[in-house]
Amino acid sequence: MVGNPLKGMGFGGGEEKAEEETPKDPAAAAGMTREEYEEYQKQLVEEKMERDADFLHKKAERATLRVCLREKYRLPKSEQDENMIQMAGDDVDVPEELLKMVDEDATEEEEKDSILGQMQNLQNMDMDQLKEKASATLTEMKSKAEEKCSVM
């Protein structure tokens, strides 16, 4: 509480010491020599460039997969995906795991679309329920025909 009242007035007393303690060189602030600091900065830049290249490649792989799926299901093309593939280069392949997943889906769809797949679906259906639906449809058609036709 009791102190020098003129100390806070700012006559240039303690401010010079604070400026001298903070080094202007970032290498000295990090505790390295100038050469070490420059090498460290180069490594950081190289690592960032490598990460960016890997990221771009992954994005291009995903874009390639989307293009394949769009072709398969006859969906409109995306210019953004095509641009991504061109930026990464034309040697981008879809990862094998994703190709396996797409191939498995395609074979399942082919099995469902085939005649044998349809017959297996018929085997799984409840025959009593199928008979009831058929008879209900037949009686409905008869009643509508009787309403419209005076001969029946």
Side-chain angles (χ1 to χ4, degrees), residues 72-73 104-114:
K72 178 181 176 184
Y73 294 109
E104 288 172 3
D105 288 345
T107 55
E108 287 177 12
E109 287 179 13
E110 288 174 6
E111 289 175 3
K112 287 181 184 177
D113 291 341
S114 69

Side-chain angles (χ1 to χ4, degrees), residues 30 32-47:
M32 299 181 215
T33 64
R34 186 89 164 136
E35 293 81 26
E36 289 174 337
Y37 185 74
E38 288 176 1
E39 184 65 30
Y40 175 71
Q41 290 298 321
K42 283 181 185 178
Q43 285 178 340
L44 287 178
V45 169
E46 288 173 2
E47 289 173 0

Side-chain angles (χ1 to χ4, degrees), residues 50-105:
E50 189 175 324
R51 283 193 313 269
D52 290 345
D54 289 342
F55 181 69
L56 183 66
H57 189 75
K58 290 281 187 188
K59 284 177 73 173
E61 286 177 348
R62 292 183 199 115
T64 304
L65 180 65
R66 284 192 298 270
V67 166
C68 291
L69 290 173
R70 281 193 177 97
E71 288 174 0
K72 178 181 176 184
Y73 294 109
R74 296 181 186 99
L75 298 173
K77 294 181 179 180
S78 170
E79 199 150 324
Q80 182 180 6
D81 287 341
E82 292 174 7
N83 291 339
M84 182 62 62
I85 293 170
Q86 287 177 355
M87 282 176 31
D90 292 331
D91 61 336
V92 177
D93 294 328
V94 179
E96 291 181 24
E97 296 119 12
L98 294 177
L99 279 177
K100 287 178 185 176
M101 289 171 50
V102 171
D103 289 341
E104 288 172 3
D105 288 345

Side-chain angles (χ1 to χ4, degrees), residues 7 12-23:
K7 185 177 183 182
E15 294 178 16
E16 292 177 18
K17 292 180 183 177
E19 289 179 12
E20 291 175 9
E21 290 177 10
T22 57

